[in-house]
Amino acid sequence: MTNRVHAIFDDPESARRAMRELIAAGADGADVTMMSSEPYLESGEVTSETQGTKIPYFTLAGGLLGAATGFGLVYFTAHSYPVVTGGMPLVPPFTTGIVMYEMTAMGAIFFALARMLWEARLLRLRPVREDYAPEVADGGVLVSVRSDGDAERWRSILRNAGGLELANQYRER
Amino acid sequence: MPQWGMVIDLDKCTGCEACVVACRTENNIPIAGEEQSATGRQINWIRVERYWEGEYPNIKARFLPVLCQHCDAAPCEPVCPVYATHHTPEGLSAMIYNRCVGTRFCANNCPYTVRFFNFYKPAWDAPLERALNPEVSVRANGVMEKCTFCVQRIEQAKINAAGEKRAVRDGEVQPACVQSCPTTAMYFGDLSDPESEVSRKAESGRAFHLLGELGTKPRVIYLKEADER
Amino acid sequence: MNGKGKQASHLTNERINRDLLGPVLATSWRFYVLIAVSGSIVAWALFAWGWQLYWGIGVTGKRRPEFWALYITNFVFWIGISHAGTLISAILRVMGAEWRRPVTRCAEAITVFALLIGSMFPIIHLGRAWLFYWLAPYPNERLLWPNYRSPLMWDFFAINAYLTGSLIYLFLPLIPDLALVRDKATGWRRQMYAVLSLGWRGTETQWHRLEKAVSIMAIIIIPVAVSVHTIVSWDFAMTLNPMWKSTIFGPYFVVGAIFSGIAALILAMAVLRRVLHLEAYLQHKHFSNLALLLLTMCLLWFYFTFAEYLTAWYGNEPAEMAVFWSKVRGSYSPLFYTMVCCCFVIPVPILAFRRLRRIPLVAFASALICVGMWLERFLIVVPTLAHPRLPYNWRGYRPTWVELSITAGTFAYFTLLYALFTKAFPIIAVWEFKEGLRHESAAQAKSEAVPVIAD
């Protein structure tokens, strides 16, 4: 369990100011995070953690895989058993196309979801207990910084920036 | 490989419905009863449609025996999601009762309305359940059925012919309806054999296909005088 | 902790949390009454279905030649209703329309439940319903695979794709709100929401990835939704039957689906607004905008219907005219004219004139449209089947108590599911709503700033 220092701010601007001061004072950008109950993405970010998402690539890959699965499903199952179709084509392009279309959509959806869950590091409950505060639900913006050894320095910077320090971790109610 | 087909001569048909009765007996068709028939649940693999033309006193009755046309381009076959209806290499539109889940899409797509559904468990009034034909399967509740060109008789004839190491003779296979017609208005045989009776009858100038303009390519050919059609 | 100052509106963060999370955290006796009533109707419908499973499809009113009747009508109707969510959420999100925010989750929930109910009907109407899984492509010892040429198989794939997509599209924006409820709930419910919210904390990365995934989903789900109802329409258009074999069916059904979907959405919103006291959130402008969309769809629907009937009438083909006259002046004409009144004649003035476009009247028009569109589906399915090409086989149709019970049961089931949903999850997307308020105040501040700079 890593040691972290938490402070709650009233609005995202002051939280971001505090984050910049922390980084200027030597904190690693990857160790400083901001948590809020609303997305504040349009007002700029301090760390570059929102860059470099691969979700679109995975979506595309999922779509192609889905199309291939759809085609394979129709083609190989039609050829696996000698059903007589009375002169109709065994793998008609239109109907194969329809099945491929739907499977493409399904593949794209699943891969996009999977990649999103991976990149957002969801499906883990422990960070909520260790690195979160319920004051976020009331509209506050939480700034969290890893504090191996520099805890006092971070605390004073956060206090000076206007944050209310939170002593305890997320409590079980 | 024989390509089975049927010719029905409407100029000879009297509308007696002997074919309907014979078909019921041969193919274990369930009895619907008075109430269910009134609702439209009666099953008749072959039926004689009667149309009245003209006003009194110049009324004419037209009789049209309608059965499954075993279309070469059957509209009922592509729409079954489980392949319960398919086409055999000999040209029959065949039905696999065990595979049918009862979506009834095939029945909706048949322009001749020759497909029937078992709305209830098939039942016979006593003692008719003892008169079932052992060569024909009894269908279950919720499956589709229709005319099979008496495929059990076709198979039996093929087995006999193979046993005697010969081909099936023309006229050897007679579905129940063809066999029972008192005016011999119906013929059955191999359309791919130019010498067979059905092929010769089909060449007649009176020949037409029922709803032929739909392009279903039926294998039942009707004969009728052109000016009265 | 009194969050940000909201200059643009009187809605404080606390007030929003209280209003929107209130139904989730507290239950009134009226909720239990609603659950009891709709639950008993559903129980009766289940009994009716069990009756049908035991005795056979013969207990319904279906007969030769109407092999499809009320169940397929319901199927098409509910899949049509399910197009509400996609239009509102996805298209408006892609276009960046801000007014969609309080409406999205109502709409997405309607989609998911309408799809769940609609997809029950292909199973209910089967002659051997316990074998429905034979439509799924799975390896079996008989080496049998389904027939992909059948429109019913396309239905299978399309509805599964749409259901999966809609569920995910409903769930993704729900995650932050589930986290909100987790923080406010106590006891076992906190544990449940902690698991459901998947450990959401609201970091910048998580917000960014969420918004990215949601916008990608929105773009994918729109063509899927269009394809779903097109494929449902092709259950009819791929046949040779008179007045079904029409190339217009694809777009016609999609337009009808969006039409009935928006009507259902307006009705649901009006009910929620009254019952959950959401007057500050579902405002007149939302109903007005949706009413204008509904009007557009109404005119489009009328255009397609007119085109279809005109071409059938002009062609004067006997088989088609038999069906046509049965609808226009035959045994189905009372239903036909009711449908025209409910779908077009009465709603158009209500939706078109601003003085009449008020919430109670718009909700009334939407209810009429739902009834009218159900009748429209019925009139597409039954008259054609009642008049096959060989006139000897024409026959009328009358539903029995089994079909009517199951139909009523599905409406009750929808109400039940929707009520349970509003109990378990906030029906208005809290974070999206707050984000919208922020955008609104920022836009207002910007527009107020311009004269200052000009000074």
Side-chain angles (χ1 to χ4, degrees), chain A residues 8-10 16 19 33-42 44-47 49-53 55-56 59 73-74 77 80-81 85 88-90 92 95 98-99 101-103 105-106 108-110 112-113 116-117 119-125 127-128 131-140 164 170-173, chain C residues 1-4 6 13-14 17 137 142-146 148-150 154 157-162 164-165 168 172 175-176 179-180 182-187 190-191 194-195 197-213 216-217 220-221 223-224 226-228 231 234 430-431 434-435 438-439:
Chain A
I8 204 105
F9 291 81
D10 275 348
R16 288 217 167 93
M19 284 165 77
T33 34
M34 179 176 107
M35 286 170 248
S36 55
S37 66
E38 275 179 62
Y40 292 112
L41 299 165
E42 71 278 359
E45 47 169 337
V46 178
T47 64
E49 58 186 89
T50 63
Q51 309 299 332
T53 173
I55 295 178
T59 312
L73 196 63
V74 179
T77 60
S80 73
Y81 191 80
T85 56
M88 295 179 286
L90 201 57
T95 65
I98 292 174
V99 175
Y101 180 91
E102 302 298 340
M103 296 296 287
M106 280 231 257
I109 289 171
F110 279 132
L113 176 71
M116 176 246 164
L117 291 176
E119 285 188 12
R121 297 202 193 93
L122 287 172
L123 297 174
R124 293 177 212 191
L125 298 186
V128 175
D131 193 8
Y132 184 67
E135 283 79 356
V136 171
D138 293 320
L164 189 64
Y170 187 62
R171 296 161 288 276
E172 292 300 320
R173 225 180 290 175
Chain C
M1 171 119 313
N2 215 358
K4 17 204 133 49
K6 301 243 178 274
N13 204 17
E14 264 181 359
N17 282 0
R142 291 163 297 169
L143 302 178
L144 284 175
W145 296 93
Y148 302 104
R149 273 173 241 103
S150 170
W154 308 340
F157 281 97
I159 291 177
N160 276 326
Y162 191 34
T164 320
I168 295 176
L172 280 181
I175 298 176
L180 194 61
R182 167 197 69 199
D183 292 341
K184 296 280 175 203
T186 53
R190 168 176 269 203
Q191 193 54 31
V195 170
S197 59
L198 306 181
W200 176 267
R201 293 179 293 140
T203 64
E204 285 184 304
T205 312
Q206 289 182 334
W207 279 118
H208 180 253
R209 301 300 188 260
L210 181 79
E211 299 228 317
K212 191 91 191 154
I216 286 181
M217 289 288 314
I220 296 178
I221 205 105
V224 174
V226 170
S227 76
V228 166
I231 286 173
W234 286 344
V430 184
W431 65 271
K434 291 179 186 168
E435 193 188 10
R438 223 179 49 239
H439 288 177

Side-chain angles (χ1 to χ4, degrees), chain C residues 230-277:
Chain C
T230 308
I231 286 173
V232 168
S233 81
W234 286 344
D235 284 343
F236 308 111
M238 294 289 154
T239 65
L240 292 174
N241 293 329
M243 284 202 86
W244 271 13
K245 191 176 57 147
S246 168
T247 52
I248 211 178
F249 261 38
Y252 182 29
F253 271 53
V254 174
V255 164
I258 300 176
F259 181 39
S260 55
I262 300 182
L265 175 63
I266 292 179
L267 198 54
M269 274 169 55
V271 169
L272 286 171
R273 183 175 190 266
R274 168 63 69 86
V275 169
L276 297 179
H277 307 293

Side-chain angles (χ1 to χ4, degrees), chain C residues 69-84:
Chain C
L70 237 63
Y71 294 150
I72 296 296
T73 305
N74 281 324
F75 169 63
V76 182
F77 176 74
W78 283 109
I79 303 290
I81 297 280
S82 77
H83 278 59

Side-chain angles (χ1 to χ4, degrees), chain C residues 43-63:
Chain C
W44 173 251
L46 277 173
F47 167 72
W49 188 27
W51 188 261
Q52 179 189 295
L53 278 175
Y54 184 72
W55 291 110
I57 300 281
V59 300
T60 67
K62 288 192 240 303
R63 60 204 64 189

